[in-house]
Amino acid sequence: MSNFLLAWIVLIPFISSFIIGVMYLYSIKVARVPNFVFSLFGLSAPLLSFLLGFSFFLQMIGNDEIFLYKAYRWLEIDGYDIDMGFMADKLSIFMVLFITFVGWLIHIYASGYMKDDKGYGKFFFYFNFFLASMLLLVLGHGPIIMFMGWEGVGFSSYLLISYYYEDGENVKAGNKAFIANRVGDFGFIVAMVTMFYYAGSNGFDFLNLKESLLSVPVPVLTFIGFSLFVGAIGKSAQIPLFVWLPDAMAGPTPVSALIHAATMVTAGVYMVARFHFLYDLIPHVGLFIAYVGAISALFAAIIATKQTDIKKILAYSTMSQLGYMFIAVGLGGYSVGIFHVFTHAFFKALLFMGAGAVIVALHHEQNIFKMGGMKKKTPLVYFTMLIATLAISGIPPFAGFFSKDEILLTAFSSGEYLLWIIGVFTAILTAYYMFRLLFVVFYGKNYKEDKKLHFLPKSMTTPLVILAIGSILAGFIGIPELLGGENLIGSWLGNWKNSSLHVTHSTEIILMVINIFAALLGIFIAYKKFYMYDMKEVPIFTGIVWNKFYIDEIYDTLIVHKIKQLSIFISYKIDVHFIDKIVMGLSRGFIRSGHYIAKMQNANTRFYAFTMLIGISVISTYLIMVLR
Amino acid sequence: MIDIIFIVLSIIAISGAMGMILFSQTIYSALSLIVTILALAGVFALLSAPFLFMVQIIIYAGAIITLLLFIIMFLNIKDDNLPSEPNKMTTIFIGAALLLPFNILVLKAFYTLPSKPMHILGKDFGSINDFGMELFRSWLVPFELISMLLLAALIGAVVYARKEKAND
Amino acid sequence: MIDSLLAYITLAMILFSIGFLGVVSRKNIFVIYMSIELMLNAINLIFVSLGRYYESMQPQVIAMIIIAIAAAEAAVFLSLIVVLYRRKKSLNSDIFTILSQKDSHE
């Protein structure tokens, strides 16, 4: 197969989103387009991309071929040329596979979820655009192309978060996400510029950078790695730029599932893995990344234990799981991190979609303490959610167990015991808050029986089942050798530094058992506290954890408020008293002088002659003085 | 002798010009201009330009300024129709002061030319014969164009001055 | 020596300046016209004296052409003055500034 099909993986969703956008405009301006037309385009694009990606995947089995397609020369700046190129190696094709597959399932789900929405076409326009941007990010052959996708996902995420734009809060949440992402993007740009300056002369794509970065001094590399990680922090919602992720739940639930769980937020992890040749040279930055990830994981898990909004719990759990991934990639276990990205995509998408199903069934109720008894009413949702919850908690043989175990093993075997302890503790918390959610929503007795449940269409439940199967099976591609399996993902993603090989089998077994016990401990605590939960009143929480450690407020006072004050100072003091005075004074001066000059233009010939006389006089005087 | 004639003619010309701009009655101004033009005709004669001497007297004084006088009388201007010019003298003095640098500049430029006697030359220069030869040898086209210009001016004058329609 | 080029030029410049002053200082449109004629004459004088100085006939031809143009100008100018005087019943040149206005035809 020819390499140009790589470009089509990205182009198909772009074209489809364009068509959908045009059709949507047509449908609101001229005549209504039925929803199934939008669905047809919206759903076929990810499927086609998936099939194309799969064909590349098949070609890659058994060899180390890298597919490279340079479409055309995009920029030519005097020796620094930038191609519009696409590259598929094993990492990116792996990402493409699960992005398109999970994305496709979520598209199907969305076609049910958004069924009654006025902006159905608009939604799929954004959705496909997002998918295309994500694929561009993954398949870009150099940092610049990657950055285009990076910005594309940020932009479409903004559009989707503020999708229900009638509510000002949602728009605010969209703005917050966009601004927080911008801070990260700044880091990315700085890193890119520095890289371009030091190593851009031999071609600015990943393959060339791999060579040319070797000759760059370590302090510069540290700076580049750090700046890049700032970008990753912004996109992947780690401390300190995580504040946008919980608010981003303002968007429709499929958005949360697709963007804020399965794909976009993992872009940061992907980027670190993509730049592994850079981070291999600077392990100290990698350690920093790992610690940021660990602290984020713990922090988010603690906050999640006290939340009441079902989607916010999941949002914080996403942040926490992303923290795990950063632990792995920071310590050099790139394949482990990507493995967790993979499994996480399945069970987190499933969790969000299950939550969305519950929310729809209960007529858009999001507070878990107003739910209850959903087990009997929606058994399918219950079972799939149970699988996902088990998976995220790390109970074997569900997917999350293997990947999380690998991460903790990586941490332990790297000698970073503190990271390991944080990880295990976070695992306990994870199991606790996830089962708290499960018990309250599905076993609790709070829900008033008299309300009739909203019907759940097939298009919403089928993807749940598929993803549930995925959540069970996804882990088996990375069974550790200890259990007689073969680490397929490790061997697929190649011979990256993987330090988990340096521990003995007995240690490995002990660690595994500890993990399982940690998860069981969390489940046990949740069971004690919340099983058959039947509080009649919705509990009112207070305290530092419920208020998310006042992080939003701290940011407000430290940054937002200060900037606001500065803006007020500039706009009311400097602008009014200084700039406006100058500008207005200038314009008034022009008007006044124009007024006077206009008087000279009075059609009086004698006056003109007199002016001429003055001119002659002046010129003559000058000439007399010059021509001595 | 020529010096005396030149000085006398100059004084007449300048006084005529001064009178022209100083009289408030239009008819006096026009008569002063005729004096100046006749004096200039004399100066032309001093400069060995007999043809121009005649042209100046016949065409300028005789035709153009007479036409002007005719128009002035034709319009029958009353004193009320004359504009009041209170600042006339002030403007003249300021203007004179402003024109001084220009005069100095021009005179300075001519001062650099070598001095040379300017007495009347003999028959071999400035005769009507010479003038005609020069005009029809080197200046034929401009001469013909002038006839076109005069025709255009004629038509323009007729168009302007014809009786206006009542409703215009 | 009075009878020199510079003397003629001086005379011409004095007449030219007086003509210019007439244009600048007088409001009477006839006097303005006459001043212009005077300036043309001054220029003629410069031409002729230069022709005498260089013993060339060309400046005399030019002077003749200038006189012809002055005649043409006289025809147009005087007819214009007649038209304007009929309308405004004034010889004040300042009144004609209304010609610059869009709706000057009353």
Side-chain angles (χ1 to χ4, degrees):
Chain A
M1 193 189 292
S2 21
N3 290 356
F4 74 92
L5 284 172
L6 269 181
W8 283 99
I9 295 182
V10 179
L11 274 179
I12 287 170
F14 262 129
I15 292 168
S16 122
S17 91
F18 181 75
I19 293 172
I20 292 173
V22 171
M23 282 200 304
Y24 177 68
L25 287 179
Y26 179 81
S27 96
I28 54 172
K29 292 276 177 201
V30 188
R32 227 186 116 63
V33 175
N35 279 356
F36 76 86
V37 183
F38 293 126
S39 316
L40 181 73
F41 280 96
L43 298 187
S44 54
L47 185 64
L48 284 174
S49 290
F50 172 72
L51 292 176
L52 279 177
F54 196 72
S55 70
F56 278 100
F57 172 76
L58 290 179
Q59 289 177 76
M60 274 183 192
I61 290 174
N63 56 39
D64 279 335
E65 199 181 340
I66 289 175
F67 293 95
L68 198 59
Y69 173 60
K70 286 182 181 170
Y72 57 93
R73 176 138 295 174
W74 185 36
L75 292 175
E76 266 183 59
I77 315 164
D78 190 31
Y80 291 99
D81 298 329
I82 293 158
D83 293 315
M84 177 59 84
F86 301 93
M87 182 186 76
D89 60 0
K90 294 194 166 177
L91 171 63
S92 34
I93 217 70
F94 185 70
M95 293 290 288
V96 167
L97 281 186
F98 82 81
I99 287 169
T100 46
F101 182 66
V102 177
W104 180 55
L105 290 178
I106 298 174
H107 273 69
I108 295 174
Y109 176 82
S111 71
Y113 188 90
M114 304 298 294
K115 200 173 50 188
D116 304 325
D117 198 277
K118 279 202 302 277
Y120 189 83
K122 184 173 71 172
F123 183 81
F124 275 96
F125 166 49
Y126 294 164
F127 234 38
N128 271 11
F129 182 77
F130 164 78
L131 200 75
S133 306
M134 188 70 199
L135 289 170
L136 183 64
L137 194 165
V138 172
L139 285 173
H141 86 311
I144 300 228
I145 310 300
M146 184 177 174
F147 187 70
M148 284 167 61
W150 187 270
E151 289 299 305
V153 288
F155 172 63
S156 43
S157 137
Y158 163 77
L159 289 176
L160 286 165
I161 292 168
S162 33
Y163 180 76
Y164 298 126
Y165 57 85
E166 287 93 346
D167 187 353
E169 286 299 312
N170 296 343
V171 178
K172 245 185 222 167
N175 285 340
K176 197 173 178 182
F178 205 61
I179 291 165
N181 267 309
R182 290 246 68 81
V183 179
D185 294 344
F186 177 71
F188 197 151
I189 291 173
V190 167
M192 221 158 44
V193 170
T194 320
M195 242 189 299
F196 200 74
Y197 182 75
Y198 279 97
S201 48
N202 303 330
F204 198 52
D205 53 48
F206 293 121
L207 295 176
N208 289 319
L209 280 176
K210 200 173 185 171
E211 307 297 325
S212 39
L213 275 179
L214 290 174
S215 54
V216 176
V218 172
V220 176
L221 285 181
T222 309
F223 178 72
I224 294 172
F226 184 76
S227 307
L228 272 181
F229 182 57
V230 171
I233 284 176
K235 195 69 60 189
S236 292
Q238 297 297 291
I239 289 174
L241 292 177
F242 67 94
V243 284
W244 65 271
L245 185 62
D247 288 3
M249 297 304 134
T253 307
V255 175
S256 312
L258 178 62
I259 297 187
H260 308 120
T263 52
M264 175 179 123
V265 288
T266 61
V269 183
Y270 168 76
M271 180 174 76
V272 176
R274 173 51 76 202
F275 281 99
H276 67 93
F277 49 83
L278 168 68
Y279 287 104
D280 280 344
L281 301 173
I282 38 171
H284 47 290
V285 176
L287 200 60
F288 172 74
I289 292 174
Y291 270 99
V292 169
I295 293 165
S296 301
L298 180 65
F299 189 75
I302 292 172
I303 294 177
T305 56
K306 288 284 186 190
Q307 293 299 304
T308 56
D309 184 320
I310 185 167
K311 282 174 77 178
K312 289 214 166 153
I313 296 174
L314 294 176
Y316 279 110
S317 101
T318 302
M319 177 182 160
S320 175
Q321 298 302 312
L322 287 165
Y324 273 117
M325 298 168 201
F326 275 113
I327 296 177
V329 291
L331 293 175
Y334 305 106
S335 62
V336 179
I338 295 297
F339 183 30
H340 198 57
V341 168
F342 175 67
T343 54
H344 176 253
F346 280 95
F347 59 71
K348 185 50 65 65
L350 176 53
L351 280 171
F352 265 111
M353 283 154 70
V358 173
I359 290 168
V360 165
L362 296 182
H363 305 278
H364 291 273
E365 176 56 63
Q366 299 203 358
N367 191 335
I368 54 169
F369 289 103
K370 292 182 182 165
M371 303 170 177
M374 296 302 289
K375 183 186 175 187
K376 276 179 211 141
K377 292 164 194 155
T378 53
L380 181 73
V381 177
Y382 165 69
F383 276 116
T384 52
M385 280 288 270
L386 178 65
I387 290 168
T389 311
L390 287 170
I392 194 175
S393 308
I395 302 292
F398 299 102
F401 166 73
F402 298 105
S403 52
K404 201 183 275 185
D405 177 59
E406 284 259 4
I407 289 170
L408 293 174
L409 186 63
T410 309
F412 190 83
S413 59
S414 305
E416 302 296 337
Y417 299 114
L418 182 59
L419 288 179
W420 179 78
I421 291 167
I422 293 174
V424 172
F425 187 64
T426 307
I428 300 173
L429 288 174
T430 307
Y432 166 70
Y433 68 71
M434 285 315 296
F435 272 91
R436 166 176 174 268
L437 188 157
L438 193 78
F439 286 139
V440 171
V441 172
F442 290 96
Y443 292 89
K445 290 175 180 165
N446 269 21
Y447 188 68
K448 312 215 171 17
E449 300 282 338
D450 48 338
K451 271 194 203 168
K452 202 163 165 282
L453 286 182
H454 191 277
F455 169 71
L456 293 177
K458 270 268 186 300
S459 56
M460 284 174 73
T461 47
T462 320
L464 289 180
V465 177
I466 299 174
L467 279 176
I469 297 167
S471 299
I472 299 168
L473 299 179
F476 289 105
I477 68 164
I479 299 173
E481 287 165 38
L482 173 68
L483 300 178
E486 188 185 355
N487 198 339
L488 286 171
I489 186 153
S491 57
W492 169 258
L493 290 176
N495 47 1
W496 290 347
K497 187 173 87 180
N498 196 340
S499 41
S500 65
L501 300 169
H502 304 304
V503 285
T504 57
H505 278 188
S506 50
T507 326
E508 218 172 312
I509 290 169
I510 292 168
L511 288 176
M512 207 176 277
V513 171
I514 289 173
N515 289 342
I516 296 168
F517 269 111
L520 289 176
L521 179 66
I523 294 170
F524 180 69
I525 298 169
Y527 178 80
K528 279 299 232 189
K529 279 182 81 169
F530 293 105
Y531 183 61
M532 301 303 273
Y533 185 84
D534 58 351
M535 230 186 261
K536 285 285 171 271
E537 291 298 311
V538 175
I540 292 161
F541 287 97
T542 49
I544 190 168
V545 175
W546 157 247
N547 284 308
K548 308 161 200 165
F549 292 94
Y550 298 102
I551 291 292
D552 277 342
E553 286 77 5
I554 289 169
Y555 281 5
D556 271 351
T557 30
L558 280 187
I559 299 166
V560 179
H561 191 60
K562 289 283 179 290
I563 291 177
K564 214 183 213 169
Q565 274 183 330
L566 185 68
S567 312
I568 287 171
F569 175 73
I570 289 173
S571 84
Y572 289 100
K573 292 274 154 37
I574 293 183
D575 195 45
V576 171
H577 294 296
F578 190 64
I579 295 174
D580 274 8
K581 281 236 168 102
I582 292 176
V583 174
M584 296 309 289
L586 271 179
S587 82
R588 264 188 225 118
F590 282 130
I591 290 171
R592 210 167 288 162
S593 55
H595 199 68
Y596 285 122
I597 291 170
K599 277 190 179 157
M600 294 175 69
Q601 198 69 248
N602 56 3
N604 187 336
T605 38
R606 291 189 314 121
F607 181 74
Y608 291 171
F610 195 79
T611 323
M612 202 166 106
L613 179 57
I614 294 171
I616 291 173
S617 174
V618 170
I619 292 172
S620 307
T621 316
Y622 173 75
L623 285 176
I624 289 169
M625 283 157 67
V626 173
L627 306 170
R628 298 225 147 264
Chain B
M1 184 61 191
I2 286 176
D3 284 358
I4 294 167
I5 297 172
F6 173 71
I7 289 169
V8 170
L9 287 176
S10 302
I11 289 169
I12 294 171
I14 292 172
S15 2
M18 296 288 279
M20 184 202 79
I21 64 164
L22 289 177
F23 284 122
S24 50
Q25 283 291 340
T26 319
I27 197 93
Y28 296 156
S29 294
L31 290 170
S32 309
L33 182 64
I34 290 185
V35 171
T36 307
I37 282 170
L38 291 174
L40 274 178
V43 177
F44 286 161
L46 283 183
L47 286 167
S48 315
F51 181 71
L52 278 179
F53 167 74
M54 288 187 292
V55 165
Q56 182 87 352
I57 290 173
I58 295 168
I59 296 181
Y60 235 118
I64 301 179
I65 305 299
T66 311
L67 175 69
L68 180 66
L69 277 169
F70 173 72
I71 297 282
I72 291 169
M73 289 175 189
F74 169 74
L75 290 178
N76 191 17
I77 297 159
K78 300 183 185 75
D79 279 4
D80 297 349
N81 293 340
L82 290 175
S84 66
E85 296 168 306
N87 296 327
K88 188 167 71 179
M89 294 312 288
T90 327
T91 333
I92 286 175
F93 281 121
I94 294 174
L98 285 170
L99 271 171
L100 204 60
F102 178 58
N103 283 291
I104 293 171
L105 180 73
V106 174
L107 292 176
K108 222 177 157 182
F110 281 104
Y111 188 70
T112 54
L113 292 172
S115 187
K116 191 176 161 188
M118 299 282 277
H119 56 80
I120 300 169
L121 290 166
K123 273 193 173 174
D124 51 336
F125 179 77
S127 66
I128 295 173
N129 184 31
D130 284 354
F131 188 90
M133 296 303 274
E134 181 71 28
L135 180 62
F136 289 106
R137 267 196 197 127
S138 321
W139 296 83
L140 189 57
V141 175
F143 180 74
E144 292 300 329
L145 286 176
I146 279 174
S147 57
M148 296 296 294
L149 180 75
L150 284 169
L151 180 65
L154 182 73
I155 295 168
V158 170
V159 168
Y160 276 132
R162 80 193 150 147
K163 252 200 151 46
E164 294 175 51
K165 289 171 202 153
N167 60 351
D168 195 13
Chain C
M1 189 170 164
I2 295 173
D3 184 23
S4 69
L5 176 65
L6 203 60
Y8 291 97
I9 300 292
T10 314
L11 175 61
M13 286 311 293
I14 288 170
L15 292 178
F16 183 87
S17 302
I18 291 172
F20 206 131
L21 291 177
V23 172
V24 170
S25 62
R26 294 300 298 265
K27 288 184 183 169
N28 189 325
I29 198 152
F30 271 116
V31 179
I32 290 176
Y33 165 70
M34 288 186 273
S35 302
I36 293 168
E37 294 293 323
L38 184 61
M39 285 157 82
L40 284 172
N41 267 294
I43 298 299
N44 270 352
L45 180 56
I46 291 179
F47 270 117
V48 174
S49 50
L50 277 174
R52 167 68 190 80
Y53 182 80
Y54 288 113
E55 298 186 14
S56 158
M57 284 306 287
Q58 300 228 13
Q60 292 195 15
V61 177
I62 296 173
M64 206 277 293
I65 291 172
I66 290 176
I67 289 171
I69 290 172
E73 181 216 342
V76 177
F77 202 109
L78 289 172
S79 60
L80 265 175
I81 289 177
V82 169
V83 173
L84 293 172
Y85 184 77
R86 266 193 208 147
R87 288 202 176 187
K88 296 284 169 198
K89 285 278 173 271
S90 167
L91 291 176
N92 192 345
S93 72
D94 291 359
I95 270 188
F96 304 123
T97 55
I98 57 149
L99 288 175
S100 71
Q101 258 87 61
K102 264 185 196 165
D103 42 22
S104 58
H105 59 279
E106 293 162 41

